Amino acid sequence: PPCYGAAAAAAKVGTAPVFARGQRRRLNIVAIAMSLFVPWLLFAGVFSIMSFSMHYKSPASAFALVALGLLVVAASGAFAGDALRQKAAGNPSREPSWWFFICFTSLLAWVSAVALGDMNFSSNLQPFYDVLNLNYYAGVDPLKLQGQQLMDAGRIIFTENARLDLSRSMGFKNSEIYCVAPVTVVSKNVSHADLMTYDFWAVGMNCCSGNAKAADFSCGDYNNPRAHAGLRLMRDDQRAFFRLAVQQAEAAYNIKAVHPLFLHWMQDPMAEVNSYQDNGYRYYLIGIWSHFGIQLFLVVCATLAFSKMGSY
């Protein structure tokens, strides 16, 4: 059948308005699908780049790709502006409503992905990559080895007779309580050997009273008889406070710690390291599917709103 007016113009260029004019309005499935998937795919891509190995191995490349994601926002904004100008020029088939919606939700997706991806990377994936880049040592005897010899350690498995000397634990208060306890060795009569230098320290936050007389360190697997291992502390912002706690222990117990290494005391460091990666992937999947649900809700609301407003 012949086409007239705006409908004929739309047919010639191969495009259709979001809602077709006439007795019945038909939804433009392409526009709705773009409004749902373009912001979501942008969110998933940027979230992935900010969360995983590219951010760690090549941060400059990662940030460059993330910045390119803004081209999606800019392009949708340009299409919206063009549609607005054509509508003002008298072309009723060009309605900018959906392009403005895509532009706004894409910008929201980009900002959210950058923020959440960086949080996921800092909390889960960066510690995972940091530990894997450090060395693994097994059979470490605190009586024979010093911290200077294992400065590149990420995971340390001590000898079976290695224990925490809770009687020489200490806590340093600075808003939080930074708790430390030295790793020593015990003999058959369960007495802790005196070391020339106490260089291996189990650490934790808010798991002791901070009272030197209490010696109530209860961090990590402190009471697990099968725990003979440590996972290196990777938080640079906490290391100075744990060092102050060690210095207090040196003064209180008349001991030396020449090159202290700070460790999370546990039975299986590799399981803990893998949990960082598992949490990173878990939060990524939760993030992308949560965003999909939110975007779907916004598209449904926009569809209803545009149909009532007569924005075709």
Side-chain angles (χ1 to χ4, degrees), residues 132-164:
L132 288 188
N133 279 339
L134 295 174
N135 286 330
Y136 166 77
Y137 291 94
V140 174
D141 188 344
L143 194 61
K144 299 177 181 178
L145 294 176
Q146 298 180 3
Q148 189 175 13
Q149 298 169 273
L150 283 75
M151 295 300 289
D152 61 344
R155 290 165 290 150
I156 298 177
I157 307 296
F158 293 96
T159 53
E160 289 292 326
N161 61 341
R163 298 287 189 278
L164 297 183

Side-chain angles (χ1 to χ4, degrees), residues 61-257:
S61 300
F63 293 141
L65 286 177
V66 168
L68 286 177
L70 286 174
L71 292 178
V72 176
V73 181
S76 57
F79 283 124
D82 180 66
L84 189 62
R85 285 190 296 271
Q86 292 197 34
K87 184 178 181 180
N91 185 354
S93 68
R94 299 303 302 271
E95 179 58 50
S97 301
W98 279 113
W99 283 118
F100 277 120
F101 177 83
I102 293 174
C103 179
F104 174 76
T105 54
S106 294
L107 179 60
L108 185 64
W110 186 88
V111 172
S112 301
V114 170
L116 295 176
D118 191 60
M119 290 174 56
N120 190 26
F121 176 76
S122 300
S123 301
N124 298 304
L125 278 308
Q126 185 175 20
F128 171 75
Y129 297 131
D130 282 342
V131 171
L132 288 188
N133 279 339
L134 295 174
N135 286 330
Y136 166 77
Y137 291 94
V140 174
D141 188 344
L143 194 61
K144 299 177 181 178
L145 294 176
Q146 298 180 3
Q148 189 175 13
Q149 298 169 273
L150 283 75
M151 295 300 289
D152 61 344
R155 290 165 290 150
I156 298 177
I157 307 296
F158 293 96
T159 53
E160 289 292 326
N161 61 341
R163 298 287 189 278
L164 297 183
D165 188 352
L166 301 181
S167 65
R168 290 189 170 107
S169 64
M170 182 61 66
F172 174 78
K173 293 183 180 180
N174 182 48
S175 299
E176 310 283 351
I177 304 178
Y178 297 83
C179 307
V180 298
V183 180
T184 62
V185 295
V186 295
S187 58
K188 294 181 180 179
N189 59 4
V190 199
S191 62
H192 291 277
D194 292 327
L195 307 181
M196 291 183 60
T197 174
Y198 291 78
D199 282 350
F200 304 101
W201 292 80
V203 300
M205 299 279 292
N206 301 314
C207 45
C208 65
S209 65
N211 187 344
K213 296 181 179 179
D216 53 356
F217 182 91
S218 56
C219 311
D221 290 345
Y222 77 101
N223 59 349
N224 182 355
R226 295 185 178 182
H228 306 286
L231 182 64
R232 185 77 171 267
L233 173 73
M234 305 306 300
R235 292 281 300 272
D236 291 334
D237 59 320
Q238 296 178 356
R239 189 171 291 112
F241 297 109
F242 286 121
R243 185 68 180 95
L244 291 172
V246 170
Q247 289 174 355
Q248 286 186 346
E250 290 180 278
Y253 305 122
N254 194 26
I255 58 177
K256 290 194 307 180

